[in-house]
Amino acid sequence: MSLLVVGLSHRSAPVSVLERAALTVGAQAKLLHDTVAAEPAAEAAVLATCNRIELYADVDKFHAGVAELSTLLALHSGVGLEELTPYLYVHYEDRAVHHLFSVACGLDSMVVGEGQILGQIKDSLARAQELHTAGRLLNDLFQQALRVGKRAHSETGIDRAGQSLVTFGLEQLAGRESVAAWAKGKRALVIGAGSMSSLAAATLARSGVDEVVVANRTLERAERLAAILGDGGTGVTARAVPMDSVAEELTRADVAVSCTGATGLVLTAADVTAALAGRADADGADGGAEHRADAGARDVRAGESVCTDDDCLIAPAPGHMGHPDHSGHPGHPDHAVHTDRSGLATDRPTTPDGCPVGSEVGDETAYEQHAALVGNSPAVGAAAARTSRTAPAALASAARAAALHLLDLAMPRDIDAAAHRLPGVRLVDIESLADASADAPMAADVDAVRTIVSDEVAAFGAAQRAAHITPTVVALRTMAADVVSSEMARLDGRLPALGDKERAEITQTVRRVVDKLLHAPTVRVKQLASEPGGAGYADALRTLFDLDPETVAAVSRADLLSNAGGRLGQHQENDEPKRGRA
């Protein structure tokens, strides 16, 4: 049997395809069952994250395995095979091992070096074990991948090369400011109470937001997360609300983060528009909400109505926004599409001198290890806060109503992509993060991690090849022991008067002879089998000693059963946080 992986990721497929191919937990379970039921596969595991879907299997035929796994991925993802095939990649044997180890170290992540993937690999192994689709090979493979990932993070500075997707997304929203400066005083709405949402909530709480509201379909999970945040020592006010309160809470939020398992949109463009209108109404009724103006933090000096700095964020000049001649419709002279430095396009009206009204231009920020839910790191992002301008009092309400930041970390997406075209809305999603991360700085430690991966792949291959011949060696020694027992029984028939002491001495002598004859060849054959191309030594051993294949298979099955419980216990010892999951 041989390891095969078929999959697609942000490196091979556009976000639109990944979004459509996303697998629910139920779909993953069905995919695993169907894979092991297929003829070429004996084991299977699925690694499904927000930016990759990979099916691992132990197959006995390469071409048949590729065809079967590709067909099953298309079937369960709902994307046609012809459409999906151009985006699929295939890795086999050592290249498949190298791929998973690279993934575990964060080398293949959208944000290089992020450690959340270790939790996702751990989840994948647990799911395959629970469904009994992981055997010896995939248990060994995924366990070793977790160890390699931990080694990479502990022995190198790969953490300096990147951060979690949550932190990277918040940095994109913060633009020129540090996350801490940007988040201070804001109200945050977190939609979902799972892995990524919990991580986002914890990061926002430590970054200095005033309040975190958690909305989830299961209110108990939201309440549990809110309680954890409230007891975390950050001083943040945290509360839980049901999902049907999202629309109301969005009118009061400055930033909303969504990462749910929903198959449809959680927030449509109409929902965001309604929230903006609700915010404007609320601000009109309560002009004293000064912390909103501070949260927006961009004012124009008294008397200035036109911005001449194309990097600033301001409210529209009086008479511009909402004027019948400046509706911002495509084709209008004052309508333009602007792209900020993070790669996020903003379709907004402009002032006569070309300044994007309500747009926010980001720039490169320092990268630090994201330690949310793991350590007590300071707020990440080292870019200096931009000196603000002061706005006329007449524009304060409009500026407050326009400061709505949305972070969509779900796949498929939770927030309608059309929301980024709404005036005053900044939306960062998986697609824009992929564009922004393309220019992320790479640490020199990446090379060190690649060396670790290469060494670990070689060691894993040697161990697997050596393990492959072990049942044959055990079967050979079992056969030799049977021969000794048979010959001693024959001796008893010929010499019935033989004493127990003499019989024991003869038995021990014969066994020593057999052990000495077998020791050198069995040790040597294990060494040879661990080298590349050594898989044929097991076949040679079976042929030379005329070993029964069923005996070898029986040894393999017994060994697998005896190790199953131990592997599960070993899995429990890998306590790497699940992507920062709460």
Side-chain angles (χ1 to χ4, degrees):
M1 304 295 282
S2 302
L3 178 64
L4 174 67
V5 56
V6 177
L8 66 160
S9 72
H10 65 284
R11 296 186 183 276
S12 68
V15 172
S16 58
V17 174
L18 282 172
E19 187 175 38
R20 292 169 52 208
L23 297 171
T24 64
V25 174
Q28 292 178 43
K30 292 178 181 178
L31 174 58
L32 288 175
H33 283 306
D34 288 353
T35 302
V36 295
E39 181 179 347
E43 304 178 33
V46 173
L47 178 57
T49 72
C50 60
N51 54 23
R52 77 177 61 250
I53 304 166
E54 296 176 345
L55 179 56
Y56 291 77
D58 187 8
V59 300
D60 57 1
K61 300 174 183 177
F62 172 73
H63 294 291
V66 172
E68 187 66 32
L69 266 58
S70 301
T71 301
L72 289 170
L73 274 176
L75 176 64
H76 289 278
S77 68
V79 180
L81 181 59
E82 291 186 0
E83 181 181 359
L84 192 64
T85 298
Y87 304 112
L88 294 177
Y89 48 77
V90 175
H91 299 297
Y92 189 58
E93 292 285 40
D94 286 352
R95 290 184 62 86
V97 177
H98 189 282
H99 174 74
L100 181 59
F101 287 3
S102 297
V103 169
C105 294
L107 293 180
D108 198 57
S109 296
M110 186 178 294
V111 181
V112 174
E114 61 93 11
Q116 297 175 35
I117 187 63
L118 287 175
Q120 295 164 330
I121 292 173
K122 185 178 178 182
D123 288 345
S124 297
L125 176 58
R127 186 176 300 109
Q129 288 176 332
E130 181 181 354
L131 297 173
H132 306 291
T133 63
R136 181 205 303 275
L137 176 60
L138 293 185
N139 270 295
D140 288 349
L141 175 68
F142 276 69
Q143 290 285 354
Q144 188 64 23
L146 292 171
R147 288 190 286 269
V148 173
K150 286 184 176 182
R151 181 188 170 193
H153 284 279
S154 64
E155 296 183 12
T156 74
I158 186 65
D159 294 321
R160 294 195 298 268
Q163 67 237 113
S164 77
L165 207 58
V166 169
T167 305
F168 193 54
L170 293 177
E171 285 191 347
Q172 296 306 302
L173 287 179
R176 285 184 177 273
E177 293 182 290
S178 68
V179 172
W182 167 81
K184 185 177 181 181
K186 281 183 167 58
R187 293 176 180 174
L189 170 63
V190 176
I191 305 174
S195 57
M196 200 74 80
S197 298
S198 300
L199 182 58
T203 305
L204 287 166
R206 272 203 299 276
S207 297
V209 296
D210 278 352
E211 181 184 45
V212 176
V213 178
V214 182
N216 194 56
R217 286 184 173 83
T218 304
L219 185 58
E220 290 76 13
R221 293 191 66 185
E223 291 172 339
R224 186 162 59 248
L225 176 56
I228 293 173
L229 295 173
D231 296 338
T234 60
V236 68
T237 300
R239 56 189 175 89
V241 298
M243 283 294 287
D244 55 14
S245 298
V246 166
E248 178 183 355
E249 295 296 337
L250 195 60
T251 63
R252 292 192 286 266
D254 300 298
V255 55
V257 180
S258 186
C259 187
T260 72
T263 55
L265 293 175
V266 175
L267 291 178
T268 65
D271 294 332
V272 178
T273 300
L276 290 173
R279 289 163 61 89
D281 292 342
D283 286 340
D286 181 17
E290 291 301 327
H291 75 278
R292 291 301 182 92
D294 292 338
R298 318 278 192 185
D299 291 6
V300 181
R301 287 190 297 271
E304 286 190 353
S305 61
V306 176
C307 171
T308 58
D309 182 350
D310 62 2
D311 279 350
C312 78
L313 172 68
I314 64 170
H320 182 89
M321 190 172 183
H323 190 281
D325 293 333
H326 295 81
S327 60
H329 60 81
H332 190 279
D334 287 339
H335 181 277
V337 175
H338 297 271
T339 303
D340 63 20
R341 292 175 190 167
S342 69
L344 182 62
T346 55
D347 189 357
R348 308 181 189 275
T350 63
T351 57
D353 65 343
C355 176
V357 175
S359 69
E360 194 172 349
V361 180
D363 107 289
E364 295 79 15
T365 55
Y367 290 84
E368 299 178 5
Q369 177 182 8
H370 177 71
L373 298 183
V374 178
N376 296 317
S377 67
V380 294
R386 181 175 173 79
T387 303
S388 63
R389 303 188 179 197
T390 53
L395 301 181
S397 178
R400 288 195 297 270
L404 179 57
H405 298 78
L406 304 175
L407 178 58
D408 185 359
L409 298 173
M411 182 64 69
R413 72 185 73 215
D414 279 348
I415 303 176
D416 191 344
H420 88 278
R421 293 194 294 268
L422 297 174
V425 173
R426 176 69 184 273
L427 170 63
V428 172
D429 56 17
I430 293 296
E431 189 167 12
S432 58
L433 285 176
D435 293 338
S437 65
D439 297 326
M442 299 285 287
D445 298 271
V446 168
D447 289 337
V449 173
R450 289 184 177 131
T451 300
I452 289 176
V453 169
S454 297
D455 292 344
E456 291 285 356
V457 169
F460 182 82
Q464 288 298 307
R465 288 188 290 270
H468 179 70
I469 203 171
T470 298
T472 303
V473 172
V474 172
L476 173 61
R477 290 190 173 277
T478 301
M479 183 192 74
D482 291 342
V483 170
V484 171
S485 298
S486 176
E487 290 302 318
M488 289 306 301
R490 180 180 297 182
L491 183 64
D492 287 340
R494 291 181 177 180
L495 300 174
L498 189 65
D500 291 342
K501 182 178 180 180
E502 289 78 7
R503 186 182 187 282
E505 186 65 31
I506 293 172
T507 301
Q508 186 176 3
T509 299
V510 174
R511 286 176 177 170
R512 280 200 300 266
V513 171
V514 171
D515 287 342
K516 288 183 177 181
L517 288 174
L518 292 181
H519 176 72
T522 53
V523 170
R524 182 57 178 155
V525 79
K526 285 184 177 181
Q527 294 173 342
L528 293 172
S530 66
E531 298 174 359
Y537 285 101
D539 295 332
L541 205 60
R542 287 193 294 270
T543 301
L544 288 172
F545 289 92
D546 194 23
L547 298 177
D548 184 2
E550 274 302 315
T551 303
V552 177
V555 173
S556 299
R557 287 192 295 269
D559 183 56
L560 181 59
L561 289 173
S562 66
N563 282 298
R567 295 189 190 284
L568 183 58
Q570 186 181 26
H571 164 67
Q572 299 297 335
E573 294 175 4
N574 281 292
D575 56 355
E576 187 71 25
K578 296 183 180 181
R579 298 188 299 168
R581 295 191 173 190

